[in-house]
Amino acid sequence: MARLLLQRYWDIPDGTECHRKTYASTSIGGATAAIGAIFGVTSCVSAQVREKPDDPLNYFIGGCAGGLTLGARMHSYGMGTASCVCMGTAAALVKMGQLEGWKVFVEPKV
């Protein structure tokens, strides 16, 4: 299921069709749909404004915005700061891995 949701997100080119990317990231988020929506909108708009669609910094900015949303929800500056750094770094690493061809879901050897 996770593979299908990620594939639907990756099929949309970065910096284009922000509404579809936001919908896809919201469905990935599940219970944390607000964080997924904030991530999708922020990373897509960042790619459009910066005119660099395949830059991991867009994903860091989106992840950081999602982390700040979590901090606001928890009413904690510390949680927001830590979540910003952690989620931004994780998102940037995912984008770098996607650009360099890292395997997240490896096919089993039978």
Side-chain angles (χ1 to χ4, degrees):
M1 183 68 177
R3 175 185 270 174
L4 177 65
L5 292 173
L6 282 172
Q7 188 61 41
R8 186 170 64 181
Y9 184 83
W10 292 123
D11 285 344
I12 304 166
D14 288 335
T16 63
E17 301 185 49
C18 289
H19 61 285
R20 285 186 55 214
K21 285 195 82 88
T22 301
Y23 178 76
S25 63
T26 302
S27 64
I28 293 169
T32 57
I35 294 172
I38 294 294
F39 170 79
V41 167
T42 306
S43 62
C44 189
V45 169
S46 173
Q48 287 180 346
V49 169
R50 297 178 63 239
E51 297 179 356
K52 295 181 179 179
D54 285 332
D55 191 9
L57 182 59
N58 298 328
Y59 277 61
F60 181 84
I61 293 169
C64 186
L68 292 174
T69 303
L70 178 62
R73 172 70 178 97
M74 302 292 289
H75 303 287
S76 170
Y77 292 119
M79 177 67 79
T81 303
S83 298
C84 171
V85 172
C86 292
M87 293 173 76
T89 302
L93 286 172
V94 167
K95 181 60 178 178
M96 284 185 245
Q98 190 240 354
L99 290 173
E100 295 177 9
W102 300 349
K103 297 289 183 188
V104 177
F105 298 104
V106 180
E107 295 294 326
K109 296 179 182 177
V110 181

